[in-house]
Amino acid sequence: MLLKAILSIALTVSWAHALRLSVGSGGQTIRALLDESTSSPLTKRDDTDPALLFPAHNLSVPVDHFHNDTLYEPHSNATFDLRYWFDATYYRRGGPVIVLQSGETSGEGRLSFLQKGILHQLAVATHGIGVVIEHRYYGTSMPTPDLSTENLRFLTTAQALADEAYFAQHIKFPGLECYGDLSSNTTAYIGYGGSYAGAFNAFLRVLYPDIFWGTISSSGVTKAIYDYWEYYSPIAEYMPAACSTAQKTFTRMVDNILIGKNDPSLTHSLKSAFGLPNVTHNDDFANILSSGISGWQSLNWDPSLSSPSFYRFCDNLTSTTLLYPGTAYLRSSAEDLLTAGNFTPTHDLTAQLLNYIGYINLTQVSRCTHLNYTQDECFTTRDPTQYQGTSWASQTWRSWAYQYCTEWGYLQTGSGVPADQDPLISRTITLEYTSLVCHYAFNRTTPPDTDRINQYGGYDISYPRLALVDGEQDPWKPATPHAFAQGAKDRVSTTSEPFILIEGGVHHWDENGLWPNETTADLPPAPVREAQEQEVEFVKAWMREWRESCAEMGRWWW
Ligand SMILES: *[C@@H]1O[C@H](CO)[C@@H](O)[C@H](O)[C@H]1NC(C)=O
Ligand SMILES: *[C@@H]1O[C@H](CO)[C@@H](O)[C@H](O)[C@H]1NC(C)=O
Ligand SMILES: *[C@@H]1O[C@H](CO)[C@@H](O)[C@H](O)[C@H]1NC(C)=O
Ligand SMILES: *[C@@H]1O[C@H](CO)[C@@H](O)[C@H](O)[C@H]1NC(C)=O
Ligand SMILES: *[C@@H]1O[C@H](CO)[C@@H](O)[C@H](O)[C@H]1NC(C)=O
Ligand SMILES: *[C@@H]1O[C@H](CO)[C@@H](O)[C@H](O)[C@H]1NC(C)=O
Ligand SMILES: *[C@@H]1O[C@H](CO)[C@@H](O)[C@H](O)[C@H]1NC(C)=O
Ligand SMILES: *[C@@H]1O[C@H](CO)[C@@H](O)[C@H](O)[C@H]1NC(C)=O
Ligand SMILES: *[C@@H]1O[C@H](CO)[C@@H](O)[C@H](O)[C@H]1NC(C)=O
Ligand SMILES: *[C@@H]1O[C@H](CO)[C@@H](O)[C@H](O)[C@H]1NC(C)=O
């Protein structure tokens, strides 16, 4: 019960964590919560609160768009309420509708993009209508009464893409009737999304080219990958070198003990030193130790949105002075563990290990002792009972898990790292461990059907007026068309097919923005500002193409 309570708020607890694409496993979900959370800038309810400025609306949409596909049997003729929000403040006749797909979370978390950031910038520059559209099975956009495994059969990327196409073809924006038809039958539709929603927008353009005039795929993970150990590759490459060295050292020490020595009493000494003697399973233990490293994705160029947890972790791990006096008595245990793990216990390395122990004690162990539960109850991913519950509220852990168990993969393992590389997380974190949620929650023991996703083009996806914008330092870069190290091919960027890498960027850093009264000489940083300026310029060029094609077709309003 404890875990369910924790799991159910994991995605909404902070804005930064709402951006997490994949939580990997139940254990990692809990971890996301236990991480220091940044307070949401969206919770303040004043005159700038977008939830007050932009009321929610629904469009009635078919639950099942594909009556010809046996995957969805038994079929449904029902419809459901797909939620959306819009801002027509800047609209002028002939302008586009710009749809931001909110992806694998409640759309409420994306409403600020109607006020600032790329959606707002595009709406102003093109005199367009800004729209945030929710994804089926998230927020209030629920096609079925609950999220039982059978009812989740309508949660596929293909059905959700069809929802957005249906929306564009059928929407009648309340209050804008006097403008006439604003559906894609007569109006240019531009799509935008980041992360999963970025891949989604790439597919949208390829699958529905007559409905979406152009789309922008930001940090779009167009390549579905079962064992996504490469998640940690950009982190290892771009994180501070001393921190990377320390994390690799301690991970190797832990694996040399857990896997190499495999001696129960030594394993117990290791867990005890970290204050986790009662965590039964080695992989659950190793999972807790990886909590600090997972903060990288939550870095943002806007300090008010960025989570400081990653750099705090690194400052702990690289400090050679003792940060936690309470760990002093563990010095000889730490030296013994370093020796057992094939390292020489120098003064500095021992101090760093003690700081790691103190950090885990502060950020993980202590949160469990407050809760009056056993350590296994707090930290295990291996308890099948924690995956029960199929109410709407279970969407926060269940909906995306279903998507990655069935189609996307992205299980972030240590075991997948090639033998000649040192991993940042333990090799005890295997596919079997990270896919336990698939087994326990959905009775699924076969790998996800990644072909369903990769048929759309994977790394090679391309289309006229499809823009690909990625982050140089994004842990998801290895799943995007900028994954050169993984075999994606470099491209020449053009106005029709922009191909942009944001220098120093992490996860869809072009999506958020600032008000004019918040900008400074350094914020937004030049690479982000330039990417956003380019996006505005190429979308304006796409709109010129639209007007030319309309003129050729003799449409009356030109
Ligand atoms: C939208 O649909 C949801 C779910 O059916 C419902 O709870 C909500 O009241 C509707 N909102 C509006 C504005 O109609
Ligand atoms: C179902 O119909 C759609 C077009 O409506 C088509 O694109 C798709 O390939 C069909 N699927 C199957 C399984 O036949
Ligand atoms: C859906 O409607 C069609 C046409 O009316 C009907 O043939 C079919 O049986 C219905 N399917 C379901 C699941 O109700
Ligand atoms: C747009 O065209 C489609 C297909 O012809 C049609 O089903 C739909 O009703 C039209 N939408 C509007 C708002 O007229
Ligand atoms: C571990 O379990 C033992 C035996 O149940 C208990 O006495 C001890 O307090 C537990 N330690 C922690 C840190 O949970
Ligand atoms: C160590 O980490 C904790 C928890 O994140 C943080 O509060 C503290 O400031 C860090 N210490 C240093 C020296 O960075
Ligand atoms: C762990 O944290 C607790 C406070 O939550 C503290 O009392 C204890 O001394 C710490 N243990 C170590 C080894 O740092
Ligand atoms: C902690 O657990 C004990 C034993 O189950 C119980 O008696 C006690 O009420 C619990 N305390 C809290 C604060 O839940
Ligand atoms: C789980 O899946 C297996 C294999 O598909 C099936 O035989 C079994 O009945 C399922 N169990 C439940 C509880 O649905
Ligand atoms: C900054 O600008 C926004 C948008 O114009 C406005 O709503 C907000 O009140 C301004 N904030 C301050 C502190 O002036």
Side-chain angles (χ1 to χ4, degrees), residues 169-172 181 183 185:
Q169 285 183 293
H170 294 93
I171 188 66
K172 293 184 169 71
D181 180 41
S183 79
N185 297 355

Side-chain angles (χ1 to χ4, degrees), residues 254 258 281-291 426 428-429:
V254 164
L258 294 180
H281 301 286
N282 292 350
D283 39 22
D284 282 332
F285 168 70
N287 193 31
I288 303 165
L289 299 194
S290 72
S291 57
S426 167
T428 63
I429 309 293

Side-chain angles (χ1 to χ4, degrees), residues 67 74-78:
H67 283 250
H75 290 288
S76 166
N77 285 335

Side-chain angles (χ1 to χ4, degrees), residues 12-18 32-33 35-41 43 298 302-309 312:
T12 50
V13 69
S14 81
W15 191 88
H17 286 124
L33 173 82
D35 239 1
E36 299 142 288
S37 53
T38 50
S39 67
S40 166
T43 52
S298 303
D302 179 351
S304 73
L305 300 179
S306 190
S307 165
S309 70
R312 286 194 186 146

Side-chain angles (χ1 to χ4, degrees), residues 273 324 326-327 329-330 357-358 361-362 366 369-370:
Y324 302 92
T327 62
Y329 82 98
L330 289 167
I357 288 169
N361 182 47
L362 175 70
S366 64
T369 51
H370 294 161

Side-chain angles (χ1 to χ4, degrees), residues 209-443:
D210 299 332
I211 297 176
F212 281 83
W213 182 249
T215 62
I216 302 172
S217 171
S218 180
S219 291
V221 286
T222 54
K223 174 88 173 170
I225 300 169
Y226 182 29
D227 185 340
Y228 190 53
W229 60 269
E230 288 112 321
Y231 179 86
Y232 294 97
S233 300
I235 304 177
E237 188 175 348
Y238 294 104
M239 71 192 283
C243 186
S244 161
T245 302
Q247 176 71 8
K248 286 178 178 176
T249 297
F250 296 133
T251 301
R252 193 131 64 94
M253 177 199 83
V254 164
D255 281 356
N256 283 343
I257 291 172
L258 294 180
I259 304 171
K261 295 271 162 68
N262 190 19
D263 165 355
S265 111
L266 189 56
T267 294
H268 186 72
S269 302
L270 174 66
K271 291 177 182 172
S272 300
F274 276 93
L276 295 162
N278 297 343
V279 173
T280 307
H281 301 286
N282 292 350
D283 39 22
D284 282 332
F285 168 70
N287 193 31
I288 303 165
L289 299 194
S290 72
S291 57
I293 210 76
S294 68
W296 183 262
Q297 186 179 327
S298 303
L299 293 171
N300 192 275
W301 57 265
D302 179 351
S304 73
L305 300 179
S306 190
S307 165
S309 70
F310 186 86
Y311 286 108
R312 286 194 186 146
F313 165 69
C314 276
D315 288 347
N316 274 251
L317 211 61
T318 54
S319 172
T320 53
T321 57
L322 204 64
L323 297 176
Y324 302 92
T327 62
Y329 82 98
L330 289 167
R331 183 173 297 279
S332 70
S333 308
E335 287 168 352
D336 291 348
L337 289 169
L338 282 165
T339 305
N342 303 346
F343 287 92
T344 306
T346 61
H347 171 274
D348 285 0
L349 198 54
T350 306
Q352 286 177 269
L353 178 55
L354 290 172
N355 291 337
Y356 192 11
I357 288 169
Y359 175 86
I360 293 293
N361 182 47
L362 175 70
T363 59
Q364 304 289 321
V365 181
S366 64
R367 302 204 186 192
C368 183
T369 51
H370 294 161
L371 292 171
N372 200 21
Y373 285 89
T374 70
Q375 291 191 326
D376 273 344
E377 281 172 320
C378 286
F379 295 117
T380 193
T381 296
R382 292 191 166 278
D383 174 10
T385 62
Q386 69 185 278
Y387 304 95
Q388 287 162 8
T390 58
S391 68
W392 278 20
S394 69
Q395 63 172 274
T396 49
W397 64 272
R398 215 169 149 82
S399 294
W400 178 243
Y402 184 81
Q403 290 197 262
Y404 70 73
C405 290
T406 53
E407 294 189 322
W408 287 88
Y410 293 147
L411 302 171
Q412 297 148 29
T413 71
S415 58
V417 176
D420 63 351
Q421 293 178 31
D422 277 332
L424 286 176
I425 67 165
S426 167
R427 290 184 190 277
T428 63
I429 309 293
T430 61
L431 278 178
E432 187 264 339
Y433 181 69
T434 50
S435 61
L436 284 170
V437 60
C438 308
H439 182 189
Y440 292 144
F442 312 117
N443 190 29

Side-chain angles (χ1 to χ4, degrees), residues 65-72 207-208:
H65 296 276
F66 303 109
H67 283 250
N68 59 348
D69 192 333
T70 56
L71 188 63
Y72 304 108
L207 288 173
Y208 299 103

